Each structure stands twice: as C-alpha cells, then as structure tokens.
C-alpha cells in the first residue's frame, strides 16, 4: 500500500473516530441542576439488599439495617417504613439509636388475618417507641383494590383510637379525590404524587407535583398534607414522555427537593435504596427508585453538573478500540477497495462497536438474578453474533460496489484454443417430465465442441412411462448419448453421479454436470473448458440462470432473488477463490473427481465437493456469463423445499468440516476461503437463531397482555440487534440489486420479498441441520400444474400461523396498555417487523396459486439455439 493511501486511510479513521467521539460527547452534555440540600424532609426506607426478598422470607440483619440508617443520617432525620413484619418491626428501635424519627407503616392486603397481625404489632411498636411520630395504615391498598373503603375506615378508626400519634393511610393523590370521606377518619392527608407513572415528562414534573399538592390542600383545607412518596426511577421503561434513567432521576430529584424545601412541604423521597426484589411486583422499574443503589452507593452526583453517562469517556474509548479491531479484520486484503468502500466499512465498524459497548453498558446497569444472568449471557452471544453478521454483510456490500476491479476474472474464451480435452456431461434425473429432459438433451446435442459425451442417469424412477421416452431419445441422438436407468440406487444425487463416473469414457478429462431442466448454450464447453489449461484449476463454474421468469409474477420474484447470489455473493467469493460449487453448469477435472468423488452422505454434494477441492490447495474459476438456463420451481412449497435442502446441506458441511474451517489445520484452505465459507452461511445461522427471538417475543408479549401492570416491554437492548440487522439486510438488498445486478427498485423489492419469504424455511433447515445427521433427499419438481388458493395457504400454514400470532400480540399489547409509551410502541413495531418474513411467505404462496398462462408446446427455448 502506498504512503499516500495509508495517509488517506489514517485521516479517514481519525475523522470517523472524532465523529463518534463527538456524538458520545454531544449525548452526554452536562446539564445544570440545584445541588442536593444539606437536609431533606425524609426518605422512604426499605432495607432489603441484593438476594433478599420478603416474598421469599429472606430479610436483612439488624446490623445491615443499622448501617443503612447511619448512612441516611447525613441527609435526613426522618424515615418512613411500610411494614412491621419480622425484622422490619425493629426499624424504629434501631432508628432511635441513630437519632431518626419514624413514620411507621402498617401493611394491608386482601389477607385479613395478616392485616390483623400487622395492626396489632404496629400499635404495640408505636406505643413503645418514642421516635414513632405518625402511623400510616395501608399503602395504596385502595388503589390496588385489595380492601374496601369501609374496611379501611374501620382499620383507621381502630388504630386512631389506640394511639396518640397522628394516623393516616397513604394513597395516590387521585384516590383521595375519589374517596373524600376518608379525610374524616385521618389526622393528615398522605398522598403519593409520582409523575413518572402518569406519563409526565421530567421537565414538567416538578410543576405537576406542586399543582397536585395545591389541589389537595384546597380539597382538604383542615388537614395537614404529607407528600408520602415523591421520586423518579433511574432505569426501566419509558412511559409517554417520562424517561427512566439516572440523569433524569438526578435532574428531577435535585430540583424537586429544593423546591419542596423552599415551599415548606413535608415529604418522603421514594426511596433511599434500590430494591431489586420489587421488580417482580412492579415490573423492572420497581427496582430502581433509590437515591442509592443496592450496594449503597449514590447513583448520581449530589452537586455539580449532571451527565447522562458519567463514564462516557471510557465507553467511547472502548468502542473506538473495538471498532479499530473490527476494521483491521475487515480491511485485510483490501488493496483493490476504493476509498469510499474503506470509509463505509469504517463507519459500519464504529456503529457496530458503539452499539455493542452501549448494549454492554446498559445491561451492566441492571440488577442480576439467575434469570437475568442467563438472559444476559444469551443476549451477549446474540448481540455479538448479530454484529458479526452485520459486519460480514457490510464487507460483502463494500467489495461488491467499491472494488476497482475483479481480482480473478474468468471471461469466456472467445479466441481459438488448442486445449480441447474430452468432456463427459452428466445429467442426473429422477421422475422428471420426459419432454423437459428431451429439451435439455437437444440443447446438448447442439454443443459446438469437438469431443464430448452425454450420460443420462435416471435413478429410482418407478414409472417406465417417464424414463423410457428419455432412453429412446438418447438412442435417437446417437452414440454420444448414453442412458442409464438404475433402481435401487442409494446416495441421492451424489450416488447417481458416482454411478455415472463408473461408466464415463476413459478419455474424458473433464466432468460437467447439469440439471435435467437446463438448456445450455452451444458455446458453453468451447468458451469455458479452456480454463482447465491451468493445472491449478480443478473446478470451472458458470451461474445458474432461468428462462421462465416471465411466466408468472411468482417466478419473477423468484428470479430476482436467485440473481443476487450468482451476481453478488459468488463474484466477491471468486476474488478469494472461495466460490460455492453448485451442481449445475459446473465442471470438475476428472482426476480430482476420481480421487474425491461426490459425497453421498450430504444432500448438497456439490458445495461439499467444492470445499474439499479447496482443502487440497486447488482452485476454482467462476464466470458471471450465463451459459445455460433452467426452470424455476412452480409452487411455493417447491421453492421452499429447494432452499431447505441448500441450507440443511450447508449445516451438514459446516459440522463435518468445522475444525478445518475454524482452525485451518490439516488442509490448504486460505484465510479468505475459510472466511467466505463461514461468513457466507452466517446469515442463514442468524435466521435459525431468530426463531428463538420470535418465540421469546411472543411469550413476553403474552405476559404483557395478561398482566400489563406487572410485565414491561423488553428493554431496548433486547430488540435493537435483530431489528438493526433486519433493516441493514433489507437496505443492502435494495442497494446492491440496483448497483451490482442492475435492476430497478421494483425488481429489487421483488428480490427482498422472495428472500424474506424463505426466512422461516431457512431457519428450520438450520436448526434441523444442527441437531440431525441427515434427512431424505427431495427433488425440486418442475413443470407442475397450478394449484388453488387453499393449497397455497396450506403451503404457508406455518408462516401464516406465526404471522397471525405476531399481529395478535401487537394488537393485544396496544389494547391492553393504558397510554402506551414510546417503549410500548417500539416493541409493537418490533413485532410487526418480525412478522414481515411470514407475511412475505404468505404473499409468495398466494402468488404461486394464480392461474398461469397456457404453456406453449415444448420447443427449443429462445436464446439457446
């Protein structure tokens, strides 16, 4: 690489790194807020620590509570409790040691026996402990509808009669307005005003609290007002404009407590310490209302500017290092890549690295449980896998669009060549329409090549009416054509081709294979066989092509999808001598095939053979020029079966050759070949893993619908990676098909629809391929008759079922959530995006059911004369 190019690369990397560092800095601009006052009115206090949960009977020790209370004395002299159960009833005594006053809480629920025990012990404690200055009977028990107003009034009157200190109950502010009769049975109004739960943006929340306080004072002028809970969560879902994060918590609380102090309000900040156990009752956000975290560390600075992510400098540096590592791998062997391609890859590397670092940071802010750790590990692996796929997709895009020239072009040899070895053309058949096979043989008979033979191998076709006409046609074409009907014959297509090898002319030096529906150009052998003059070349490959794309809209979409692999993926792979050999329009050197043979255990014997050719240190040649055209599947189910076979075979190959692909030991595979074989199949693996994401999304959505108040939408980090990959892949298809394949936007969209329609099929094939050793080989039928809509729906019944589930989940969430916020709508959007591949499958199935034009009598295909 020249010094000038290195300089440009360095400048470009520095510029992109500066851009992303600037974005980190812009997102984390310091925001001003009043300093935390020396004293606040009080804290709501629950003493539970990590791994402690009153619902499971695990409580803190008295020493742990003493340490908590001692910590709070630096900021307040007043705390509020919620229950007198077990050690919680000892808090007043321990608070007395620390010099703290206590507003004692008595917990009420729909368990009347437990209520009696709480009231009796609460009265006893309030009488005994001098620092209990008031008692709160019940916490939002009316709001939860666990007791009636009449029951509450009875409890209040009973406790007031037993005690001399003020007694009240604590409810959300609107409950007091709903049941004003409660005021006659309390000594003060204890109201919760929490703007976050009411979808109020942080900027308007202090005013919201003051407005509610004034309304309560006006409604109950003779009763003192206690704001029994005011606060803001530092993590969790977004509710409308209310964002739960540490910066919002800091800005709100620092402004609020100063405002309340200035206006003489009595209040309790909820709460002193994060309570992770509350996530089970209140959703994820319930764990994050503390001013201190569960480790008893302040969650935000009490003075000075507030920054969204205080550690952003470290995170920006980590993302930069990660991006440079990814970029170094992406730019290996990139000498032919234009500067725009390098800039694109640099941007993608920094985007991916930034997303990974942000996901890791965001997850680190969550409290860990066994479930959370398990989900976190799966999330980390999933996010890493998605980002690797995204990087490989970006690499293919850059090398397709911004490469100066192809490194290994294999153009058709148009000049005379003295190298004309004998070629044996093998045509495997199974239950194929005789007239279609005759077309294929007629095209082979017109080959402009001096020395070739054609072997037709019909394996296991039972009906003589199908294979005997083909046999007769071969006899009519002359001695160059030989027909073999073998039944039974094991080994799928590979077994048939190995059988043909046993009957191949000893003079043949090159073995060519085409499918029985392919009509080849007369120049195929003449213009491609000369590439074997290079002794290093063991495989010469031409693209698959099709002649029936105008037969129906279904086939037009299929044709657009097929073109991408042969004019994008195979082209970039050929530059590193890493093509996928496919079993039609392929030629292999006879000596190599005699040694390696076709793998009968693998249903994609062609791709498997190509990999073993590379493992021997031999090369392949790929020409983008089309020398033959076949027929596409007529129905969606056959389209799916074909792709299932390809994907399943890919997994068989990966499992069998995994060590050599990963480690490169014991063979002559280059790094580029190993990269392309692994990276090329990664998107299919991603489709397989996406099944688990869809299944998990449906389960989570069901929980949101059944218990909307307890189950929040998944955190953004769960949904962002697969969503980002989907958007990138869709954009890549639309961009590449227009730039590299040369089609218009409509055809590019057609390719996208057809590709999406296969996602579920590929996912099933990948999962089956990973857990099974083999499946029966199934052919792709051609020239099938049209079928009705009901049959088409049956062909896409699995996809339609999942699509309906996803749509139902999206609708159910929308209807069950009150005032759905941005996070809810984002999750609904994720569900709808997840449904697109399943919708595409249903569309393709219906298109394949449309009546086709009456076919003309089988003659010679246009363009193949």
């Amino acid at each position: 690489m020249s010094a000038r190019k290195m300089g440009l690369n360095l400048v470009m990397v520095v510029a992109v790194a500066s851009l992303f560092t600037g974005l980190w800095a812009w997102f984390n601009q310091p925001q001003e807020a009043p300093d935390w006052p020396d004293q606040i009115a009080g804290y709501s206090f629950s003493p539970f620590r990590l791994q402690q949960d009153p619902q499971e009977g695990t409580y803190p020790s008295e020493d742990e509570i003493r340490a908590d209370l001692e910590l709070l004395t630096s900021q307040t002299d007043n705390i509020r409790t919620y229950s007198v159960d077990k050690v919680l009833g000892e808090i007043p005594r321990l608070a007395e040691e620390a010099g703290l006053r206590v507003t004692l809480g008595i917990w009420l629920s729909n368990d009347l026996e437990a209520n009696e025990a709480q009231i009796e012990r609460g009265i006893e404690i309030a009488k005994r402990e001098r620092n209990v200055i008031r008692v709160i009977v019940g916490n939002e028990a009316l709001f939860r509808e666990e007791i009636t107003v009449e029951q509450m009034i009875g409890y209040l009157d009973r406790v007031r009669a037993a005690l001399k200190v003020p007694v009240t109950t604590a409810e959300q502010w609107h409950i007091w307005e709903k049941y004003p009769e409660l005021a006659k049975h309390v000594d003060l109004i204890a109201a919760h005003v929490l703007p976050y739960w009411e979808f109020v943006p942080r900027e308007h929340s202090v005013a919201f609290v003051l407005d509610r306080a004034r309304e309560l004072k006006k409604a109950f002028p003779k009763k003192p007002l206690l704001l029994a809970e005011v606060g803001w969560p530092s993590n969790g879902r977004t509710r409308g404009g209310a964002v739960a994060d540490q910066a919002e918590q800091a800005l709100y609380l620092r402004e609020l407590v100063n405002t309340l102090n200035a206006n003489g309000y009595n209040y309790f900040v909820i709460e002193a310490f994060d309570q992770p156990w509350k996530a089970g009752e209140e959703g994820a956000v319930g764990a994050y209302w503390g001013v201190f975290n569960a480790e008893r560390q302040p969650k935000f600075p009490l003075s000075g500017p507030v920054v969204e992510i205080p550690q952003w400098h470290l995170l920006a540096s980590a993302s930069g290092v990660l991006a440079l590592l990814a970029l170094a791998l992406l730019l290996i062997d990139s000498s032919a890549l234009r500067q725009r391609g390098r800039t694109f890859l640099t941007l993608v590397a920094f985007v991916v690295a930034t997303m990974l670092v942000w996901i890791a940071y965001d997850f680190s802010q969550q409290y860990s449980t066994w479930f959370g750790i398990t989900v976190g590990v799966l999330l980390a692996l999933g996010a890493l896998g998605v980002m690797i796929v995204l990087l490989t997709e970006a690499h293919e895009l850059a090398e397709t669009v911004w490469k100066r020239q192809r490194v290994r072009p294999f153009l058709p040899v148009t000049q005379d060549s003295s190298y004309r070895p004998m070629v044996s053309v093998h045509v495997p058949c199974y239950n194929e329409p005789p007239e279609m096979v005759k077309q294929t043989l007629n095209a082979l008979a017109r080959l402009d090549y001096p020395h070739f033979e054609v072997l037709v191998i019909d394996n296991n076709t039972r009906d003589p009416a199908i294979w005997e006409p083909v046999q007769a046609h071969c006899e009519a074409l002359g001695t160059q054509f030989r027909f073999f009907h073998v039944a039974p014959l094991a080994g799928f297509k590979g077994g048939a081709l190995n059988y043909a090898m046993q009957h191949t002319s000893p003079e043949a030096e090159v073995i060519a294979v085409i499918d029985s529906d392919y009509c080849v150009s007369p120049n195929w052998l003449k213009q491609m066989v000369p590439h074997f003059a290079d002794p290093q070349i063991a495989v010469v490959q031409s693209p698959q092509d099709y002649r029936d794309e105008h037969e129906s809209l279904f086939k037009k979409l299929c044709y657009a999808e097929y073109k991408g692999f042969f004019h994008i993926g195979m082209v970039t792979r050929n530059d590193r001598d890493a093509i996928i050999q496919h079993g039609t329009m392929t030629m292999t050197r006879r000596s190599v095939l005699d040694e390696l043979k076709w793998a009968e255990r693998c249903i994609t014997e062609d791709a498997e053979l190509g990999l073993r050719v590379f493992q021997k240190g031999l090369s392949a040649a790929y020409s983008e020029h089309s020398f033959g055209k076949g027929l596409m599947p007529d129905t969606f189910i056959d389209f799916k079966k074909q792709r299932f076979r390809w994907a399943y075979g890919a997994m068989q190959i990966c499992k069998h050759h995994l060590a050599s692909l990963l480690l490169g030991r014991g063979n002559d595979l280059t790094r580029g070949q190993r990269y392309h074989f692994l990276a090329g199949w990664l998107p299919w693996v991603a489709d397989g893993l996406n099944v688990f994401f869809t299944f998990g999304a449906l389960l989570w959505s069901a929980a949101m619908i059944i218990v909307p108040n307890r189950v929040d939408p998944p955190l953004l980090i769960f949904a962002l990676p697969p969503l980002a990959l989907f958007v990138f892949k869709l954009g890549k298809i639309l961009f590449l098909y227009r730039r590299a394949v040369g089609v218009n936007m409509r055809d590019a969209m057609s390719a996208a629809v057809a590709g999406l329609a296969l996602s579920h099929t590929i996912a099933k094939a990948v999962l089956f391929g990973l857990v099974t050793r083999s499946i029966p080989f199934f052919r792709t039928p051609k020239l099938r008759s049209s079928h009705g809509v009901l049959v088409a729906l049956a062909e896409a019944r699995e996809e339609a079922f999942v699509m309906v589930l996803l749509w139902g989940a999206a609708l159910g969430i929308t209807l069950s959530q009150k005032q759905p916020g941005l996070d809810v709508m984002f999750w609904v959007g994720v569900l709808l995006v997840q449904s697109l591949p399943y919708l595409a499958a249903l569309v393709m199935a219906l298109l394949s059911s449309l009546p086709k034009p009456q076919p003309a009598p089988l003659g010679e295909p246009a363009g193949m004369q």
Side-chain angles (χ1 to χ4, degrees):
M1 185 179 293
S2 66
R4 180 176 179 274
K5 186 178 292 186
M6 290 183 63
L8 286 174
N9 288 339
L10 181 60
V11 170
M12 177 265 298
V13 171
V14 171
V16 173
S18 300
L19 170 65
F20 277 82
T21 302
L23 290 175
W24 279 102
W26 175 80
F27 184 73
N28 290 284
Q29 295 180 74
Q31 301 177 71
E32 297 299 327
D35 291 345
W36 194 266
D38 292 336
Q39 287 281 299
I40 65 171
Y43 272 120
S44 293
F45 176 60
S46 293
F48 297 94
R49 302 183 176 225
L50 285 172
Q51 315 306 326
Q52 295 174 351
D53 185 345
Q55 296 172 333
E56 296 180 358
T58 53
Y59 286 78
S61 66
E62 289 192 5
D63 286 340
E64 288 174 326
I65 295 175
R66 282 192 180 93
D68 286 346
L69 296 173
E70 186 64 32
L71 178 59
L72 296 182
T73 57
S74 63
Q75 294 189 14
T76 189
D77 61 0
N78 201 356
I79 62 169
R80 174 196 169 183
T81 65
Y82 288 86
S83 171
V84 294
D85 191 32
K86 297 185 179 180
V87 75
L88 302 182
E90 304 303 320
I91 292 177
R93 174 176 60 81
L94 301 174
E96 173 74 17
E97 298 174 8
L100 293 171
R101 295 176 296 167
V102 176
T103 296
L104 184 68
I106 294 174
W107 187 260
L108 297 181
S109 67
N110 54 10
D111 185 339
L112 300 183
E113 184 177 345
N115 292 348
E116 289 299 318
Q118 283 275 322
I119 288 173
E120 289 179 10
R121 191 176 188 204
I123 291 173
E124 175 192 344
I125 293 170
K127 286 181 176 179
R128 183 180 69 237
E129 305 298 339
R130 295 177 301 172
N131 61 331
V132 174
I133 61 172
R134 66 176 72 90
V135 174
I136 295 179
V137 182
N139 184 72
E140 297 187 355
L142 292 175
F143 173 73
R144 295 193 306 274
E145 298 181 348
E146 291 184 345
I147 63 173
T148 65
V149 175
E150 291 74 18
Q151 286 174 313
M152 176 61 76
I153 289 173
Y155 288 140
L156 288 169
D157 290 346
R158 178 175 159 193
V159 176
R160 290 179 75 200
L163 297 177
K164 297 180 180 180
V165 297
V167 176
T168 186
T169 186
E171 287 289 346
Q172 294 189 24
W173 63 272
H174 60 86
I175 297 296
W176 288 100
E177 293 184 350
K178 183 177 181 180
Y179 303 113
E181 62 270 26
L182 277 176
K184 298 178 182 179
H185 303 272
V186 299
D187 298 304
L188 68 155
I189 306 298
H192 298 170
V193 187
L194 301 167
Y196 166 81
W197 287 119
E198 304 196 44
F199 305 90
V200 181
R202 188 264 307 166
E203 294 83 357
H204 308 304
S205 291
V206 172
F208 179 88
V209 173
L210 295 178
D211 288 343
R212 302 294 81 74
R214 282 191 287 267
E215 291 172 4
L216 289 168
K217 281 188 171 184
K218 183 178 180 180
F220 307 103
K222 296 182 180 180
K223 299 289 182 178
L225 174 63
L226 170 66
L227 298 175
E229 284 185 359
V230 293
W232 196 274
S234 63
N235 208 326
R237 61 181 293 190
T238 298
R239 296 178 62 84
V243 179
D245 67 31
Q246 287 188 12
E248 294 289 277
Q249 184 188 45
L251 293 168
Y252 173 69
L253 285 179
R254 283 170 56 172
E255 180 182 358
L256 178 71
V257 295
N258 277 281
T259 302
L260 295 179
N261 282 358
N263 286 274
Y265 283 101
N266 201 358
Y267 60 89
F268 288 104
V269 171
I270 180 167
E271 56 193 317
F273 305 105
D274 278 351
Q275 298 294 294
W277 67 272
K278 289 186 179 180
E281 287 293 317
E282 302 174 15
V285 73
Y288 300 101
W289 288 81
V291 173
F292 298 86
N293 63 24
E295 287 80 23
R296 278 42 186 172
Q297 300 297 317
K299 290 158 59 177
F300 54 82
L302 300 181
S303 62
V306 175
V307 176
E308 187 74 29
I309 303 177
Q311 310 92 332
W312 73 266
H313 297 86
L314 178 62
L315 299 183
S317 300
S319 64
V321 171
L322 193 60
L324 292 175
L325 290 174
L327 187 62
L329 295 174
L330 290 174
L331 293 182
I332 292 176
D333 191 23
S334 63
S335 57
L337 199 62
R338 290 189 176 95
Q339 190 61 48
R340 280 176 291 181
R342 292 192 181 91
T343 302
F344 170 75
L345 290 178
T346 304
L347 286 168
V348 172
F350 271 88
V351 168
V352 167
T354 301
M355 288 178 63
L356 282 174
V357 169
W358 177 74
I359 288 171
Y361 169 78
D362 197 64
F363 192 78
S364 73
Q365 303 305 299
Q366 319 301 318
Y367 289 114
S368 296
T369 61
W370 285 111
F371 175 78
I373 292 172
T374 301
V375 170
V377 171
L378 294 175
L379 174 64
L381 294 175
L384 182 61
V386 165
M387 297 310 171
I388 290 174
V389 173
L390 200 152
L391 288 172
T392 60
E393 294 273 2
H395 185 257
E396 181 181 69
L397 187 152
E399 293 213 322
T400 302
V401 177
W402 292 299
K403 213 158 191 179
R404 290 188 178 88
Q405 60 185 13
R406 303 302 356 150
V407 177
R408 303 175 69 245
F410 290 93
L411 302 175
V413 179
T414 56
Q415 71 276 17
D416 289 337
S417 172
S418 60
Y419 184 71
R420 291 285 187 265
M422 181 182 178
V423 178
S424 183
V425 182
H426 297 175
V427 185
C429 300
Y430 168 66
N431 210 36
E432 306 291 359
E435 295 304 314
M436 180 190 76
V437 182
K438 290 179 184 180
Q439 240 186 8
T440 298
L441 299 178
N442 290 341
L444 288 171
R446 291 191 297 274
L447 281 170
D448 181 13
Y449 195 77
H451 197 17
F452 71 94
E453 67 173 359
V454 176
L455 276 62
V456 181
I457 312 94
D458 182 276
N459 63 314
N460 301 312
T461 300
R462 296 181 179 179
D463 188 355
I466 292 177
W467 60 264
E468 285 180 351
V470 178
Q471 181 182 33
H473 196 68
C474 285
E475 293 171 355
L477 288 173
T479 57
Q480 274 185 301
F481 289 77
R482 290 187 284 159
F483 179 87
F484 302 89
H485 172 70
V486 188
L489 180 64
F492 313 130
K493 181 180 177 182
L497 292 174
N498 284 332
Y499 178 89
M501 287 294 297
Q502 300 171 23
H503 298 272
T504 298
S505 169
E507 299 178 33
E509 298 181 33
V510 174
I511 307 298
V513 178
I514 64 169
D515 285 344
S516 57
D517 60 311
Y518 263 74
C519 291
V520 299
S521 165
N523 296 324
W524 175 40
L525 299 183
K526 182 173 69 175
Q527 295 186 354
M528 294 304 292
V529 169
H531 291 302
F532 283 104
D534 180 353
Q536 190 66 17
I537 296 294
V539 173
V540 173
Q541 184 75 60
S542 302
Q544 291 181 204
D545 202 355
Y546 303 93
R547 61 183 186 269
D548 54 346
E549 71 272 17
H550 299 299
E551 184 178 295
S552 67
L553 181 56
F554 168 73
K555 288 195 173 185
K556 184 176 182 179
L557 268 65
C558 292
Y559 186 67
E561 195 273 337
Y562 281 125
K563 290 181 72 173
F565 176 74
F566 298 106
H567 295 279
I568 297 173
M570 288 286 280
V571 173
T572 58
R573 296 176 74 106
N574 182 60
D575 282 346
R576 291 189 178 84
D577 196 11
I579 66 167
I580 297 287
Q581 186 177 9
H582 44 92
T584 190
M585 304 308 299
T586 187
M587 291 181 274
T588 309
R589 193 180 294 276
R590 166 72 175 277
S591 59
V592 173
L593 200 48
D594 279 339
E595 177 186 353
L596 300 181
K597 295 184 173 47
W598 299 97
E600 299 181 13
R601 57 177 170 74
C602 183
I603 64 173
T604 49
E605 72 295 321
D606 41 13
E608 202 274 345
L609 174 65
L611 177 56
R612 286 188 288 135
V613 166
F614 293 137
Q615 288 175 334
K616 286 184 64 65
L618 299 172
S619 294
Y622 179 73
S623 172
E624 297 179 58
H625 190 79
S626 175
F627 286 99
K629 294 189 176 184
L631 299 175
M632 286 178 281
D634 291 274
T635 65
F636 182 56
I637 191 67
D638 293 328
F639 188 46
K640 293 202 300 181
K641 284 180 179 178
Q642 182 188 63
R643 196 57 54 92
F644 186 98
R645 178 164 55 86
W646 294 355
Y648 185 92
M651 294 304 101
Q652 284 184 305
I653 295 169
C654 278
K655 289 196 301 183
H656 189 74
H657 297 277
L658 187 61
S660 66
L661 289 172
L662 286 177
L663 305 176
R665 296 175 182 170
N667 59 72
D668 293 321
L669 289 177
T670 66
R671 287 184 303 179
Q673 289 169 337
R674 290 161 53 202
Y675 165 78
H676 278 291
F677 271 90
L678 289 172
W681 287 325
L682 271 180
W684 284 358
V685 175
D687 282 340
L689 296 177
N690 191 55
V691 168
F692 297 104
F693 179 83
T694 300
F695 181 71
L698 287 170
L699 287 179
W700 200 305
S701 299
M704 289 177 62
I705 295 169
I706 296 169
V707 282
N709 294 325
R710 293 184 59 181
V711 180
D712 297 335
L715 297 174
L716 186 63
I717 56 175
F718 285 85
L720 191 60
L723 189 62
L725 181 60
F726 176 86
V727 171
F728 185 86
K729 287 175 68 174
L730 182 61
K732 175 193 168 189
I733 290 174
L734 299 180
F735 179 71
L736 276 188
Y737 270 74
R738 297 191 68 190
R739 286 291 299 271
V741 184
V743 301
N744 56 33
M745 181 58 74
R746 184 176 61 184
D747 288 343
M749 286 297 299
S750 298
V753 170
L756 286 175
L758 294 168
S759 297
H760 181 68
T761 296
I762 292 171
K764 286 175 58 180
V766 167
L767 297 178
F768 273 99
L770 292 175
V771 299
T772 63
R773 297 188 61 182
S774 65
I775 59 172
F777 184 91
F778 38 82
R779 58 185 282 272
T780 304
K782 306 294 170 61
L783 298 178
R784 294 234 321 213
S785 59
S786 300
H787 55 290
V789 172
L790 292 180
V791 176
L793 291 175
E795 292 179 351
R797 60 184 178 273
E798 290 182 14
E799 292 91 339
F801 179 68
V802 178
M803 180 193 74
V804 169
L805 288 178
L806 288 166
W807 285 2
L811 179 62
I813 289 171
T814 304
L815 296 177
S816 65
Q817 297 283 325
K818 295 186 297 182
Q819 292 182 284
L822 181 62
D823 57 344
V824 172
M825 299 314 298
F826 181 85
W827 182 245
V828 168
V830 168
L831 294 175
L832 294 178
V833 168
Q834 283 292 110
S835 75
L836 291 179
Y838 304 97
L839 174 61
L842 183 60
V843 169
M844 288 291 287
L846 292 174
L847 289 177
S848 75
S849 72
L850 295 178
K852 299 178 177 63
Q854 189 66 27
L858 280 172
E860 301 306 333
M864 291 292 111
Q865 304 291 333

